[in-house]
Amino acid sequence: MEKNEAKAQAYNTLVFQYSRLEEQIRLIRAENFELSKEDIEKILKAVENLKHKTILLLCYSSGLRVSEVAKLRVAEIDSHRMIVNIKAAKGKKDRIVPLSPTTLKYLREYFKEYKPTGFFFEGQYEGEPYSTRSIQLILAAAKKKAKVNKPGSI
């Protein structure tokens, strides 16, 4: 009986140590995959195109998903209350996110130049949303230009 108890105790110790090791590995990986504030600043400074800079700034300052930015409509931005109303976000649920004054400045500048009507960021064809893949490629090009080699994404 004691032999089985010793085996069980050794097994439980190994399981416990393994779970602690898994947690440490997960934390190290998460640390290496996050873009720091300095990295994001470098990326934003590297972007010269107003549309591209506004898209990335909106993603990072308000924490929007790439699909939410692509499908953002003009009516969903409430500049008076400094919020963005995201309709049918992940899980088909609406959500409200804050809007920073700097981002609002870029959104207004973008609005004056491009004059969007339906989608805030129109795609290649009029009336179509900007493609999520295009947004991902904007980030990849900006990271390359800013010499940010971390694997972070939108």
Side-chain angles (χ1 to χ4, degrees):
M1 193 79 171
E2 287 178 24
K3 201 174 193 180
N4 287 340
E5 286 177 14
K7 283 182 181 178
Q9 186 175 4
Y11 174 78
N12 289 334
T13 302
L14 283 172
V15 168
F16 176 72
Q17 293 296 335
Y18 182 75
S19 67
R20 285 182 53 201
L21 181 62
E22 274 185 326
E23 179 64 17
Q24 289 173 343
I25 291 170
R26 188 188 65 74
L27 290 173
I28 290 168
R29 283 186 179 155
E31 228 173 65
N32 291 335
F33 288 103
E34 287 181 6
L35 292 173
S36 67
K37 184 179 177 182
E38 292 79 23
D39 291 335
I40 293 169
E41 286 174 359
K42 279 188 212 174
I43 290 167
L44 290 172
K45 284 179 183 173
V47 179
E48 295 172 11
N49 182 299
L50 177 62
K51 184 183 222 176
H52 297 171
K53 185 174 263 192
T54 307
I55 287 171
L56 293 178
L57 190 60
L58 189 58
C59 281
Y60 283 111
S61 69
S62 297
L64 297 183
R65 296 177 182 96
V66 67
S67 61
E68 293 170 345
V69 172
K71 295 175 186 168
L72 184 67
R73 294 192 173 271
V74 175
E76 294 174 352
I77 297 171
D78 187 343
S79 61
H80 299 292
R81 293 175 43 204
M82 298 294 289
I83 59 170
V84 179
N85 293 300
I86 306 297
K87 304 288 182 197
K90 189 173 180 183
K92 303 287 186 216
K93 294 185 180 190
D94 296 349
R95 68 186 190 122
I96 298 170
V97 294
L99 186 61
S100 77
T102 305
T103 305
L104 181 59
K105 184 186 105 181
Y106 276 93
L107 288 171
R108 284 182 171 154
E109 191 178 329
Y110 172 83
F111 189 85
K112 286 177 187 172
E113 188 172 320
Y114 288 88
K115 297 171 184 52
T117 53
F119 290 103
F120 200 85
F121 302 105
E122 287 194 346
Q124 191 173 5
Y125 305 107
E126 192 175 326
E128 292 289 318
Y130 209 75
S131 109
T132 56
R133 182 65 184 140
S134 294
I135 296 172
Q136 292 167 341
L137 292 172
I138 290 168
L139 177 63
K143 282 173 53 180
K144 187 175 182 179
K145 189 173 180 182
K147 295 184 173 116
V148 174
N149 297 321
K150 290 184 183 176
S153 65
I154 297 177

